[in-house]
Amino acid sequence: MKNYVTVLIAVSLLLNFLQSKAQNLPQLGKNSAKEVVAAMTLEEKAQLVVGKGMKFGGTSSGTGVGITEDKVAGASGTTFAIPRLGVPSIVVADGPAGLRIDSIRNNDHSKTYYATAWPVATLLASTWDTSVVKKVGVAFGNEIHNYGVDIILAPALNIHRNPLGGRNFEYYSEDPLIAGSMAAAITNGIQSNGVGTSVKHYAANNQETNRNSVNTIVSERALREIYLKGFEITLKRSNPWTVMSSYNLINDTMASESYELLTTVLRKDWGYKGFVMSDWFGGRNAVAQMKAGNDLLMPGTKQQTQKIIDAVNHDSLDVKMLDENCERILNIILQSPSFKKYKYNNQPDLKAHAAIAREAAAEGMVLLKNANNALPFASIKNIALFGNNGYDLIAGGTGSGDVNKAYKVSLYQGLINAGYNIDAVTVEAYKNYIADYNTKHPKKDFFQEFSNPTPPAPEFEVDDNIIKTKALNTDVAVIVIGRNAGEGKDRKIDDDFNLSATEQALIKNVADAFHAQNKKVIVVLNIGGVIETVSWRDKVDGILLAWQPGLEGGNAIADILSGKVNPSGRLATTFPVKYEDVPSAKNFPGKEFPEKATTGNFGMKQIPAEVTYEEGIYVGYRYYNTFNVKPAYEFGYGLSYCNFTFGNLKLSSSTFNKDITATIAITNQGKYAGKEVVEMYITAPVNNIDKPAAELKAFAKTKLLKPGETQTLKFTLTATDLASFYTDKEEWVADAGKYTVKAGASSTDIRLKASFNLENEIVVEKVNKALSPKTNISELKSAPVKETSYINELNNFYTIGQ
Ligand code: BGC
């Protein structure tokens, strides 16, 4: 039977081939994409621009991720093949923190398809080291390639506009330079394997509440300088194969139907050559999407294909436009592993990748507090470990950013692996509690779990007597506070951004008991987004922000606690004192119009909504530092087990010509080897439009410096780095005047300054008018604060040009 089928397939392929030969049909690869498109029927064109659909309810493997079973089970989608023209189908799969495919296929447990859960993007950004992120990308891409996937639906680089954003863990930073640099680094790494990326979600998609219907009202300047900037940097530095348009509307037009977003800005202003795909079921009008330049509709429905055919037949869609959509898709398919018939082995080196995940995780953890050198552990043997997530690591967030991993190393396991003893009584109590909760709250089916994940066990209430006994018979307390979130839902203020009463009591009781015995208390934050810290941080001796560190997380946290790795992560997102301090707090998640509700996909109620970005360009540290609002932990902050000095800041010139270089010498004054991050901020002259107090324009991490060792770092600043966006002229302009370069160990800990002069303004670039808001936005403006009181600018260091 099997032989018979094989013969049939061979005969049909041969017939196909002979037919193409006889008709002299163009073949992709031999002929140009244009020639292939010219030979396509209208039906074939309409099929190529619409994906093959999606299966709900998970696959037969039962792991529940699957939607595309024909080639790679659990991938998110595939495109149509046109065999007579040599066009194969390609496979796309999520996501930003690792390849999301089914781990078990057809109930065959003898073979597994697990993938590496990498540290989440917010952690990767906190490395402030693009070489580490690129290294993750190289290994990540190898996994994608060896599992038969052509394009990964990542990286995701929306801005951390508000700490409650449910998908913030998938995104890098509140700052577009960090976001764009990291996304470019991972894209370069992934694509070096011959597979593609899809940078998402383009654009201004910074919340999950009403994500398919929310109208984002935002100024052109905030778009250009904040929300589009990261994408622009990524595209120019790494040329991703594809871009994914977002679900939301921008200034009244759906992102995937916006010609101005997808053609005027993306292609005309930035020269992008790849193709654009929609987010899953995103947009409402397939024809408008084609016209806008949204080349591929994913996952694709038969109705969309029909609408496109009808529109061409009724002259409401020019077939030339459809041809361009097809050509752009074919030009990427040409480069794909599926086109090249790559023989993937389904056996990536998961062990080697786990080692890279562990290294990257430790690089991006941020030491927030270390009173009296509580860390690294010295003469500690016995640890009392508190907090559910000490035993049940949150490796990454939920939704399409989740990964089917073979295992995850909890902090409990990581500390055991590092040779510590963990107090048995606490271990037993927590393990029983978590097991009992999980039995009583079994996971729901794929779709329900995806849209509404089973909440994790509430924090275990530990008996105070246990805590007091442990303070006597262990050396240190470690408390893990965990948070999880993901696609489809934003976080809330109570019991999420703010700690719950049980968590507050746990910290207080443990701190009281351990401090009474002169023992220290360390808090480890296993979180995917920002939380409140000021109400409890004074009670503890050390705080390590471990983020959601991927499958090797427990080992990586133990590496830092033990001192095997000296922490060098820095915040790429601000920790405010309280939620109300966040500049977007009064405009998040916006207004709803329930009376205008309609029925959306799958019969789900869709409520029109709008959110106005009144804070304009003042996002994150641009706001806190300009308006003198002191955060709990500022952007760029992070401690090391060493101190570093910044010395000898030199500029190549005191007047700006084509560019200017800055050099700075960093010396490790500590007793351990360590790495320092140098953050270069610029304060620009304010002539016509207001500007943030300072903006990050370059950054670098030193190599591992031995005690006493010095490294000189060099930064080049170009006119682009000096420019702001002038909406009235549609120009990026570097204003004439004095620019101050500030070398900081954080956005408020400025160690050295130097300045240069720009004699005449430079018009760096003129762009097309696009994406103007239709209503007036009362945007936050500021008379710039010269020197904010809490910013520590040490003027006693060597400075030049002042
Ligand atoms: C998400 C995307 C994801 C896609 C495919 C959508 O719901 O917003 O980020 O890539 O699904 O799974």
Side-chain angles (χ1 to χ4, degrees), residues 355-376:
I356 295 170
R358 177 175 178 169
E359 184 191 328
E363 283 281 324
M365 290 182 186
V366 186
L367 184 62
L368 296 179
K369 178 171 183 181
N370 196 17
N372 302 318
N373 298 327
L375 291 171

Side-chain angles (χ1 to χ4, degrees), residues 247-289:
Y247 285 131
N248 53 295
L249 295 88
I250 302 178
N251 294 328
D252 295 5
T253 307
M254 299 224 76
S256 64
E257 298 172 11
S258 170
Y259 181 86
E260 292 185 350
L261 182 71
L262 306 183
T263 300
T264 311
V265 174
L266 186 70
R267 288 166 171 132
K268 294 188 180 161
D269 286 343
W270 300 344
Y272 181 62
K273 296 279 186 284
F275 76 78
V276 176
M277 71 175 82
S278 69
D279 198 347
W280 267 229
F281 302 102
R284 293 169 191 157
N285 180 336
V287 176
Q289 288 173 304

Side-chain angles (χ1 to χ4, degrees), residues 460-477:
F460 178 49
E461 294 182 30
V462 196
D463 188 298
D464 209 26
N465 288 324
I466 298 190
I467 296 176
K468 286 194 177 125
T469 322
K470 295 308 121 198
L472 289 172
N473 62 16
T474 60
D475 305 323
V476 70

